[in-house]
Amino acid sequence: MTKIKKYVPIVGQGVIDELYFLAEKFGGKTVQNINSTAVGGGVAEILTRMIPLMRQLGVEVLWDVIKGNEKFFSITKKFHNALHGINVTITDDDFKYFVSVNHENAKEINFSGDVLFIHDPQPIALVDMKHEHGKQWAWRCHIDFTQPQADVMNFLQSYIEKYDSAVFSAPAFSRNLSIPQVLISPSIDPLSDKNKELRMDKIDRVLERFGIDKERPIVTQISRFDYLKDPLGVIEVYKRVKQYVDCQLVLAGGGATDDPEGLEVLEKVRTAAAGDSDVHIIFLPPASDIIINALQRASTVILQKSLKEGFGLTVAEALWKAKPVIASAVGGIPLQIAHKYSGILTYSIDGTAYYLKQLLNDQTYANKLGINGKEHIKHNFLITRHIRDYLLLFLSLYHRGDIIHL
Ligand code: UDP
């Protein structure tokens, strides 16, 4: 477990003192997180790192994961896609089944926390237990809500409004709601295996293991194999640039237990890349943090060509390593990248290919983008800022309408 004092050299003593102060104000209450997967994806990533740190601050934190079968997760994946603006058909039976699985889970969960902190749509209907258990309920949304399909949005909104507060990752996702809503961006942990400094020989060993040539440029996208991460678009970008620059492409990622589409996407990606030994498709098991860290550090340029994105933790991870990043201007990515200052924002395959060629040909400019990006992440998107925002949120739940005297 990483000791909280290890963050002092990165963020300063004042930041850590403030966290202890806020935790003390929260006064021995328990926060109970509930989501739908223990591994894979950004939510699990953040909770895994944040919970031990909050416990060191003296906050009691619990984490429960709801259970669901294939049918449930294929419905929640349809929700996910519909919320991201993809046209999908969701039947009345789907909605009913979704609620029934939530209610089944509710029977098994011991709602012992003072604050119930529910993450994303999958467990949203647990809030029906609020009338039995009382307490403070906050709903934390990590996904892109800019163009949701109306039926799913209306269904979810009827649940969101049962909560005491809703939390979104970027201003563009806020809704017209009858409950208070707050903006809290996600974060990365600079001391996790995913982000800590790595020795060069360790990085080289990972490259050797996957047959990647360290002498030629490496272009990487780290993502779950999901259509919304557009891995097929990335291959198209690579093919266009490869005509001019002798580079390699690394597409690395795994699946999440709540995403049934992953293997289908992986197959399509393999077919699209067939026959090119400079395309490395790496299917990663959970807990591949050191490998991801090494691949990011070894990369010349990092892509995140998502069609939709909640926040895009992989962008923050790459920028923290001072890498030049070219990413789509979707979801929370524009919060992380100021175009042509701390990275490049793009809107198309053509645009991404154009800038990739430019950055591969101009290493000085590319390096400058990476250095600026690192500074931006340091000031805005590290885990200490995230814990501070959560503690303030939890405190606010007990001081609705008050001015808090600290
Ligand atoms: N990640 C991982 N293994 C994988 C793919 C992704 O550990 O195979 C991590 C990635 O490094 C990042 C998180 O999962 O920390 C993904 O968060 P992001 O916000 O980029 O996307 P999400 O998967 O939540 O849509």
Side-chain angles (χ1 to χ4, degrees), residues 313-358:
L313 280 178
T314 48
V315 171
E317 289 162 7
L319 292 175
W320 176 247
K321 295 166 184 103
K323 291 293 158 182
V325 176
I326 304 174
S328 307
V330 293
I333 292 176
L335 295 177
Q336 304 181 62
I337 293 182
H339 184 52
K340 294 188 177 178
Y341 178 75
S342 54
I344 298 289
L345 292 175
T346 56
Y347 300 83
S348 63
I349 287 179
D350 281 345
T352 310
Y354 170 84
Y355 281 108
L356 178 57
K357 193 166 143 241
Q358 183 185 6

Side-chain angles (χ1 to χ4, degrees), residues 261-293:
E261 270 176 0
L263 289 178
E264 176 189 307
V265 178
L266 179 65
E267 270 322 299
K268 289 203 172 145
V269 168
R270 284 194 171 130
T271 307
D276 187 336
S277 58
D278 278 338
V279 180
H280 301 271
I281 296 161
I282 303 173
F283 190 68
L284 294 171
S288 298
D289 291 2
I290 298 278
I291 293 177
I292 291 174
N293 189 343

Side-chain angles (χ1 to χ4, degrees), residues 41-43 45 194 222-224 229 252-255 284 289 292 296 309 311-314 317:
V43 181
E45 173 81 19
K194 177 89 47 82
I222 305 283
S223 276
R224 293 178 294 103
K229 306 289 183 184
L284 294 171
D289 291 2
I292 291 174
Q296 287 169 331
E309 193 60 75
F311 178 70
L313 280 178
T314 48
E317 289 162 7

Side-chain angles (χ1 to χ4, degrees), residues 65-68 100-109 126:
V65 177
I66 59 162
K67 296 193 196 96
S100 72
V101 172
N102 266 254
H103 289 173
E104 279 307 307
N105 272 280
K107 286 184 202 149
E108 292 186 19
I109 293 171
L126 293 178

